[in-house]
């Protein structure tokens, strides 16, 4: 089961973290951008190639210490078809490096549209007599605020393709409270969503570590809520954004794990990608800087959360 694959990678590396691949062009060292522009001009193709080379360099530096990567689709869509083609290549390269791929797409539509999104990211599309994969991610993020109709098509493909999903529950952004902290009857909205995630998860199988196929996005910036959600959702794997640049700490994310240090993976994007901006070497050491930042994050979390 897909979350079993992820948990095994976490245990092998003793590292419950995922590196976000959310590169804007300004996150890429100038020498890489310059090379791409010299080759392709000031075009979307040049930007896509620069980011792809950056991504590959990051994955080369991280693949033996970080179990997973999380490309955010928006940073590829903004470069048109060239960006989306580059995203497909990025996912393919990540898998060649043995990395678990969480596609951060936050889709939340319904009906046949949801089915098409699911085919694109998790499942297969029929072309003649052949079934052909799209982006072929291991896992995706979803927005379930349209209800079960937005989630069920993905669960069908997750089950048949041995993959998994993360649904938004308690997000890390400051304005989340505008909706998620509102009362719905006698419950907070994010707890209603947590109960839905639990219900959706119960329709899927449970893996050897006790987690079903429906995970939850639960932000590091609300540690007390993390603690409550861990109790409410004992069979739900957590994706924890908000570490580092958004203010979350190792002590905060500790509450996302069970007593064995299992059941959660913590994301850092800019903290790893942009670590080179703090070294004073104009990005020539971006891979080494990313690796050092990832190791520092791993060690900080392991200091408070044993991974058994």
């Amino acid at each position: 089961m897909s979350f079993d694959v992820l948990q095994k990678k976490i245990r092998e590396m003793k590292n419950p973290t995922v590196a976000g691949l959310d590169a804007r062009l300004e996150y890429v060292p100038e020498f890489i951008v310059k090379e791409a522009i010299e080759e392709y001009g000031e075009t979307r193709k040049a930007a896509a190639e620069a980011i792809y080379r950056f991504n590959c360099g990051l994955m080369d530096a991280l693949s033996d210490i970080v179990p997973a990567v999380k490309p955010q689709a928006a940073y590829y869509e903004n470069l048109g078809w060239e960006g989306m083609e580059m995203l497909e290549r990025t996912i393919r390269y990540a898998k060649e490096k043995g990395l678990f791929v969480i596609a951060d797409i936050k889709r939340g539509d319904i009906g046949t549209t949801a089915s098409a999104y699911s085919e694109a990211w998790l499942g297969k599309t029929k072309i003649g007599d052949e079934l052909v994969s799209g982006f072929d991610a291991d896992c995706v993020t979803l927005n379930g605020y349209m209800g079960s109709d937005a989630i069920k098509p993905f669960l069908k493909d997750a089950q048949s393709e041995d993959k998994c999903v993360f649904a938004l529950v308690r997000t890390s952004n400051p304005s989340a409270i505008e909706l998620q902290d509102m009362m719905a009857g006698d419950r907070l909205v994010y707890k209603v969503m947590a109960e839905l995630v639990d219900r959706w998860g119960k329709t899927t199988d449970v893996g050897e570590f006790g987690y079903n196929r429906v995970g939850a996005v639960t932000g590091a910036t609300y540690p007390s809520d993390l603690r409550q959600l861990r109790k409410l959702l004992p069979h739900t794997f957590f994706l924890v954004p908000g570490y580092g640049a958004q203010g979350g700490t190792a002590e905060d994310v500790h509450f996302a794990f069970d007593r064995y240090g299992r059941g959660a993976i913590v994301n850092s994007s800019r903290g790893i990608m942009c670590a080179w901006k703090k070294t004073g070497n104009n990005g020539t050491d971006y891979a080494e800087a990313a690796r050092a930042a990832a190791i520092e994050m791993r060690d900080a979390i392991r200091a408070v959360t044993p991974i058994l």
Side-chain angles (χ1 to χ4, degrees), residues 18 70 102 141 166 215-219 237-241 263-267:
V18 53
K70 184 178 71 65
I102 302 168
T141 59
F166 285 110
V217 179
T218 54
F237 210 98
F238 287 0
L239 170 62
V240 187
I265 191 162
V266 183
N267 178 73

Side-chain angles (χ1 to χ4, degrees), residues 2 51-52 57 60 92 104 152 159 176 218-219 227 237 270 301:
S2 197
I51 292 171
Y52 179 68
D60 288 344
R92 193 181 310 131
D104 194 356
K152 287 181 178 178
Q159 195 76 35
T218 54
R227 186 201 295 260
F237 210 98
R270 283 171 291 168
I301 293 174

